Amino acid sequence: MKLDLIVPHYKEPWSTCKYLFDTIATQRGIPFENIRVIVVNDGDCLLDESVFREYPYTVEYLAKEHGGISAARNYGLDYSGADYVMFCDIDDGFLSNYALHLIFAAMQEGFDYLVGNFIEETFDEDGNMTIAPHDKDLTFIHGKVYRRQFLVDYNLRFDPAMTIHEDGYFNNIIYATATNVGKIKYITTPFYMWRWNDESVV
């Protein structure tokens, strides 16, 4: 079973991006040859591809004209040929060294839509960083994995006109479709971290 991680990139410097790639590299108990990271540059600030050479998995860097986050994710999905796909934000990361092990174990059992719990970095009213758990959350793209052929068969894509809250729309149509004609699986152990980014839209 192969997994593609689709990661849009727009303006973020390598210092912001590196955390995600490092947390993938430290995963344990998974076949790195079955993992590919598809970075979709959305038309600005090309990274030097040499930064990817140190990692024990394949990274492919695609460039396209600027079209927004939804268009970038669709572009990566169209390029993918893996059994399963996961959409990651380039400033996030995996919560533990066994995150992908949980995903690969679930892939062996089979599913169309996997909903995983995740952790959000946030701040309290006093300005102190804290974490907020998200359990069975369909509002965000974080911690979700999809069988690629399921998305293709039912033409399930991001709305390219949406550049904010696009993931809530996408996940709800996935959930509705999978509830009727697919198989939904849940992982209760949080494995993804939505990291705080002062430059992020949300």
Side-chain angles (χ1 to χ4, degrees), residues 7-9 12-13 15-21 73 88-94 121 142 192-202:
V7 185
H9 172 245
E12 298 88 354
S15 58
T16 298
C17 309
K18 189 175 186 298
Y19 182 82
L20 172 64
F21 295 88
R73 287 172 174 159
C88 301
D89 288 344
I90 204 161
D91 53 358
D92 290 342
F94 288 97
E121 287 184 347
H142 312 100
Y192 188 89
M193 177 172 284
W194 182 14
R195 298 178 72 212
W196 180 265
N197 184 349
D198 289 330
E199 304 300 321
S200 175
V201 173
V202 291

Side-chain angles (χ1 to χ4, degrees), residues 7 11 20 33 37 44 56 66 70 105 127 138 170 181-182 186 195:
V7 185
K11 291 186 176 180
L20 172 64
E33 64 272 17
V37 181
D44 186 81
H66 181 58
S70 295
L138 299 181
F170 180 74
V181 295
Y186 295 93
R195 298 178 72 212

Side-chain angles (χ1 to χ4, degrees), residues 87 111-117 135-141 143-147 150-151 154-158 166-187:
F87 299 97
F111 59 84
D112 295 306
Y113 179 35
L114 183 145
V115 179
N117 294 344
D135 299 338
K136 296 184 178 180
D137 189 325
L138 299 181
T139 306
F140 302 102
I141 201 72
K144 313 297 190 303
V145 186
Y146 313 85
R147 187 170 68 85
F150 176 74
L151 302 183
Y154 293 96
N155 194 30
L156 301 169
R157 299 168 63 81
F158 292 90
E166 75 293 331
D167 40 2
Y169 166 81
F170 180 74
N171 273 310
N172 277 283
I173 62 172
I174 300 294
Y175 180 78
T177 306
T179 298
N180 290 321
V181 295
K183 179 181 179 181
I184 301 175
K185 185 172 183 61
Y186 295 93
I187 293 181

